[in-house]
Amino acid sequence: MRFNFRTLAGALAIGGTAFASAPAFAEGEVNIYSYRQPDLIKPLLEAFTSETGVKTNVIFASKGLGERIATEGESSPADVLLTVDIGRLDGAKQLGITQPVVSDVVESNVPAEFRDPEGHWIGLTNRARIVYASRDRVDQDSITYEELADPKWKGRICTRSGQHVYTIGLIASMVAHHGEEKTEEWLSAVRNNLARKPAGNDRAQVQAIFAGECDIALGNTYYMGLMQTNEKEPAQKEWAESVRILFPNSEGRGSHVNLAGIVMIKGAPNPDNALKLIEFLSSDGAQKIYAETNHEYPVKPGVEVSERVQSWGEIKKDPLPLADIARHRKAASTIVDKVGFDDGPAS
């Protein structure tokens, strides 16, 4: 017997938000587990239902969805999992909860570097791991990730935990480009340039620049959009105004980009509708909605970014396949602990 989706939605609402539009498993529905907040994906799902007639049932939680699906096993009501970061996408594959997606539409819409080679995950939007720089205290208009180790930045860098998936993705990309030994040397030097122990989320780093605690910080591009449009907390608009975005390595390999993406769950009760959703999310119209709503970059070539994202400047993306970067995540995590990155700058 399968889980009742409505009952499970109520259980998962603890620590998150849940909503469901109709009883599960009826013809013409798809069940979605999502790490992406309901407000962010609602416009997409409304457009999907309008175009296809397929109803969507959604569970949102901030953590633990992949593990829950693994625990539910064959009884899981989930058709797809929406998530962020190559770590979580590849992590779902490693949990054994995914199945390959075979679709000419997806292969045509999503470049190979943003898909699992075996089809177990598909990227939907990009975000770049960039540098926020103080408008008042940083004059230069370009930077590289390698430069963050330069002693000129001593006491001037803020960032979130080295073990956060966003940071691990960047460090894994450095391992992919430079090897483990050189990346360890680099990260040790970056640690010594920190203004404080890593703490807080990406927006907190911009707040720290605004407060004068540091001059540059690592963060994802879309947080700039979230801060610039935050009507509930207008102070964040001031934080955003105090910084500008520098796209690292623009004159070289390009900036590290990560993904928001989707997987189809092994044993999905509605596989045909799951495939319809995945193909829809890779289409021109959905890519435009997704990117504009979340201030991200479409993965489908030719789909324009929003005016706001354009205003941040032109991005050159590191072409290294995300699957290659994912293979170095374990090494990246080990290096973070080895150099004591989260302990902050050496005395």
Side-chain angles (χ1 to χ4, degrees):
M1 179 180 295
R2 289 189 176 275
F3 286 79
N4 177 279
F5 196 86
R6 284 187 177 278
T7 300
L8 187 59
L12 283 179
I14 299 173
T17 303
F19 60 93
S21 59
F25 318 124
E27 184 178 354
E29 296 196 345
V30 62
N31 298 324
I32 303 165
Y33 281 25
S34 177
Y35 284 112
R36 307 230 72 174
Q37 296 182 9
D39 288 346
L40 296 181
I41 62 173
K42 186 177 180 180
L44 281 165
L45 300 186
E46 289 177 344
F48 170 69
T49 298
S50 176
E51 180 171 311
T52 66
V54 176
K55 297 179 181 178
T56 59
N57 303 308
V58 183
I59 283 174
F60 163 75
S62 58
K63 59 183 179 180
L65 288 177
E67 291 75 14
R68 180 171 286 274
I69 293 170
T71 299
E72 292 167 353
E74 294 180 358
S75 297
S76 179
D79 290 307
V80 298
L81 173 67
L82 274 171
T83 188
V84 294
D85 191 84
I86 183 58
R88 288 176 177 167
L89 288 166
D90 187 66
K93 178 183 177 181
Q94 300 308 319
L95 281 170
I97 64 173
T98 65
Q99 64 173 299
V101 172
V102 180
S103 167
D104 291 341
V105 172
V106 171
E107 288 190 12
S108 175
N109 289 343
V110 182
E113 62 264 32
F114 302 135
R115 289 183 276 113
D116 176 57
E118 298 175 342
H120 283 267
W121 50 261
I122 297 100
L124 297 175
T125 56
N126 281 148
R127 67 282 300 281
R129 198 72 180 156
I130 46 78
V131 169
Y132 289 112
S134 169
R135 290 184 181 274
D136 294 333
R137 301 185 298 278
V138 177
D139 293 330
Q140 66 190 63
D141 295 320
S142 64
I143 199 168
T144 66
Y145 297 115
E146 290 78 5
E147 185 190 329
L148 299 178
D150 191 309
K152 74 178 183 179
W153 296 114
K154 187 173 181 62
R156 301 176 69 188
I157 301 175
C158 285
T159 187
R160 70 193 307 162
S161 169
Q163 290 294 357
H164 190 274
V165 290
Y166 298 162
T167 314
I168 290 295
L170 172 60
I171 298 170
S173 77
M174 294 293 286
V175 174
H177 283 291
H178 299 296
E180 293 183 28
E181 183 177 348
K182 288 192 176 298
T183 299
E184 181 180 329
E185 294 174 0
W186 170 79
L187 194 64
S188 180
V190 176
R191 177 207 63 207
N192 289 337
N193 284 343
L194 295 177
R196 62 181 188 186
K197 289 184 178 182
N201 57 22
D202 284 5
R203 279 185 260 202
Q205 313 314 316
V206 180
Q207 182 184 20
I209 294 175
F210 174 76
E213 297 174 18
C214 49
D215 295 337
I216 61 173
L218 287 165
N220 282 345
T221 42
Y222 67 92
Y223 282 107
M224 175 65 87
L226 294 176
M227 290 183 291
Q228 289 176 336
T229 59
N230 195 328
E231 300 299 335
K232 293 183 179 179
E233 298 180 58
Q236 292 193 12
K237 294 182 179 182
E238 292 187 73
W239 307 348
E241 185 61 30
S242 73
V243 302
R244 53 199 171 88
I245 287 177
L246 301 182
F247 291 98
N249 298 75
S250 290
E251 297 176 5
R253 66 176 181 271
S255 301
H256 167 63
V257 294
N258 215 309
L259 293 170
I262 193 167
V263 304
M264 187 187 297
I265 302 304
K266 184 168 61 177
N270 303 294
D272 291 343
N273 289 336
L275 182 58
K276 286 181 183 178
L277 176 63
I278 293 171
E279 290 181 342
F280 171 80
L281 291 175
S282 73
S283 69
D284 287 63
Q287 286 278 290
K288 188 172 180 61
I289 294 171
Y290 210 166
E292 287 186 351
T293 302
N294 300 320
H295 312 294
E296 293 177 304
Y297 296 89
V299 294
K300 185 179 181 185
V303 179
E304 290 188 0
V305 299
S306 70
E307 290 185 9
R308 183 175 300 278
V309 174
Q310 287 182 28
S311 72
W312 303 337
E314 187 174 351
I315 181 174
K316 177 182 179 182
K317 300 178 183 179
D318 185 344
L320 190 68
L322 270 295
D324 290 353
I325 291 175
R327 287 196 285 270
H328 297 290
R329 291 182 64 253
K330 184 176 180 180
S333 178
T334 299
I335 292 170
V336 169
D337 286 342
K338 188 173 181 181
V339 305
F341 188 79
D342 282 354
D343 293 332
S347 58

